[in-house]
Amino acid sequence: MALALTLGQRGSGNVWPNPAVGCVLVRNGRIVGRGWTQPGGTPHAEVVALQQAGKKAVGATAYVTLEPCAHTGKTGPCVDALVTAGIVRCVIATQDTDPRVAGKGADSLRLAGVEVSEGCLEMQAEAAHYGFFKRISCGSPRITLKLALSLDGRIATKTGESQWITGLEARRDVHVLRSCHDAVLVGGGTARADDPALTVRGLGQTSQPVRIVASKNLDFLGNALKASKKEAPIWLCHAEGHSINPHWNELADKFLAVPQGLDGRLNLQLLVQSLGAEGLTSVLCEGGGTFAAGLLKDHLIDDLIVYSAGVVIGSDGEAGLGGLGVDKLVLATRFELVDCRKIGADIRHHWRSVNF
C-alpha cells in the first residue's frame, strides 16, 4: 500500500477532477502490476495495473489507495474490471466519499466473491486524497500557501527587492510543488509587482498547472503570462459586474466573476468555491502578502509551505503577510508541523491546519 500511495502521487496535478489513485497487484508474493491514474483522469489506476499484469492478475490481490469506483463515467466501473480480471482480494486504504461510490465499490466486490480489507494506511491515504474529498464535501479545493521568507519574516527589502531571498535549490523545489498542484494562484498585487509566468520550469517535460490571477479590476500587464500563453491555461478571477478590458479576451482561457465582500475586495470564500466548481482539487497560492492574509483570515488555508532563508532584512522590509487583525493569541490561526528539512542553504517546513 505504501508503494501504491507513492505511485498515486505521480498523478498529482494532472488528473483533476479525478483523485490521484495508485494501485499495486500482487500474486504469490510478487508484484505483477502497478498503475496510477493517468492524465485527464483516464484510465484509472486499477485499469493501468491490470493491463500491465495481463493474465497474471488471476488470483492476485489488489492494493488500492481509494475505493474502486462502481459507476460509469468517462470509463466503466473499476470494480467490474477487477472482478473480470480474476482478482481474489482487494485491500482498500480508504473509502471514497463521492456519493456515486461511497461504499458501493467495496460492496460490489464482496458480492462478486472478492475478499475486501479496508483501512490499510488509511490516514496517509486520507491526506493524499484530501483535496478530492474536500471538493466533494465542501465544494472547494485544497489550498496550499507558499511563502519564501527571511528569518524575520520579510519577503522583500524596503525598496521592494526580493530576488532572491532563497537559494537555487529552494526555488527549484517550488517548481516541483507547482507541478504537484492542479493550479497556481496569485493576487493582483503580485501580478502587478512581479509579473510572474507561474509555469513549471527546469524539470524537463512535466505537467503544467492552470495559472490563476485574482484581481478585482484585472489591472495588471501580465506580460510574462502573455509570453507563455501556449504553455498552460490562464484563468482570470475578477469582480462581478466589472467590465473586462478586451485585450484579456486573447489571453485568458476562462473568466470567473466573483462577488465582492463588504470591504470591496473579492469574496475569497466564493472565489475558492468557484475554483472547486470548475473541478480543481488542489491549488497552490503564491501570494502576495495581502491576498495570502485574506485567505488565512477566512480560514481557507489547509497547508502552509514556508522556505526560510538565513538572511535578516529588518522591520522596514516588506512583511510576508498583510495584517490579520489578531489581538489575542487564542484567535490566531494554528498549524501543526508535518515536515521540516534542509534544502540547500534554506529550511523548508510544511505545516497543516489543525482543522485538516
Side-chain angles (χ1 to χ4, degrees), residues 13-74:
N14 63 4
V15 303
W16 61 278
N18 287 23
V21 177
C23 177
V24 174
L25 296 175
V26 177
R27 190 177 78 169
N28 297 329
R30 300 188 65 177
I31 293 173
V32 295
R34 313 178 193 204
W36 58 92
T37 307
Q38 296 299 294
T42 59
H44 292 185
E46 298 93 324
V47 173
V48 175
L50 289 171
Q51 289 172 345
Q52 186 181 98
K55 294 180 180 179
K56 294 178 181 178
V58 178
T61 295
Y63 294 84
V64 191
T65 63
L66 185 66
E67 180 183 8
C69 63
H71 65 283
T72 299
K74 291 183 179 178

Side-chain angles (χ1 to χ4, degrees), residues 276-298:
E278 294 295 330
L280 296 177
T281 64
S282 62
V283 175
L284 176 65
C285 176
E286 296 198 27
T290 301
F291 186 67
L295 291 170
L296 282 166
K297 190 179 292 187
D298 287 348

Side-chain angles (χ1 to χ4, degrees), residues 102-114:
K104 299 182 183 72
D107 289 345
S108 296
L109 289 169
R110 290 189 179 99
L111 285 172
V114 176

Side-chain angles (χ1 to χ4, degrees), residues 141-162:
R142 179 178 188 166
I143 306 292
T144 298
L145 173 62
K146 184 274 296 183
L147 297 171
L149 307 172
S150 66
L151 284 177
D152 51 344
R154 305 290 146 174
I155 58 172
T157 66
K158 65 179 182 180
T159 61
E161 184 182 351
S162 61

Side-chain angles (χ1 to χ4, degrees), residues 26 28 34 40 51 70 88 90 92 102 112 117 152 181 204 223 236 239 255 260 279 286 292 317 319 327 329 350:
V26 177
N28 297 329
R34 313 178 193 204
Q51 289 172 345
V88 295
C90 186
I92 299 169
S117 301
D152 51 344
H181 286 77
N223 291 328
L236 299 180
F255 292 96
Q260 294 172 249
E286 296 198 27
D327 54 6
L329 277 176
H350 177 188

Side-chain angles (χ1 to χ4, degrees), residues 55-184:
K55 294 180 180 179
K56 294 178 181 178
V58 178
T61 295
Y63 294 84
V64 191
T65 63
L66 185 66
E67 180 183 8
C69 63
H71 65 283
T72 299
K74 291 183 179 178
T75 64
C78 286
V79 291
D80 291 354
L82 290 167
V83 171
T84 301
I87 70 160
V88 295
R89 181 172 178 241
C90 186
V91 181
I92 299 169
T94 189
Q95 188 181 90
D96 193 341
T97 58
D98 188 330
R100 296 173 298 176
V101 185
K104 299 182 183 72
D107 289 345
S108 296
L109 289 169
R110 290 189 179 99
L111 285 172
V114 176
E115 179 188 346
V116 176
S117 301
E118 299 181 75
C120 178
L121 298 186
E122 184 173 19
M123 289 181 62
Q124 294 92 321
E126 287 180 348
H129 298 303
Y130 183 79
F132 174 73
F133 291 157
K134 186 181 177 187
R135 191 180 71 82
I136 294 295
S137 62
C138 305
S140 58
R142 179 178 188 166
I143 306 292
T144 298
L145 173 62
K146 184 274 296 183
L147 297 171
L149 307 172
S150 66
L151 284 177
D152 51 344
R154 305 290 146 174
I155 58 172
T157 66
K158 65 179 182 180
T159 61
E161 184 182 351
S162 61
Q163 296 181 347
W164 297 99
I165 288 177
T166 54
L168 180 63
E169 294 88 345
R171 298 200 299 275
R172 187 177 189 279
D173 192 70
V174 171
H175 286 277
V176 174
L177 197 59
R178 285 180 182 175
S179 72
C180 295
H181 286 77
D182 302 341
V184 179

Side-chain angles (χ1 to χ4, degrees), residues 151 166 170 306-310 340-349:
L151 284 177
T166 54
V306 182
Y307 298 90
S308 295
C340 183
R341 57 187 169 90
K342 191 172 185 293
I343 179 164
D346 307 311
I347 300 295
R348 180 194 195 270
H349 30 125

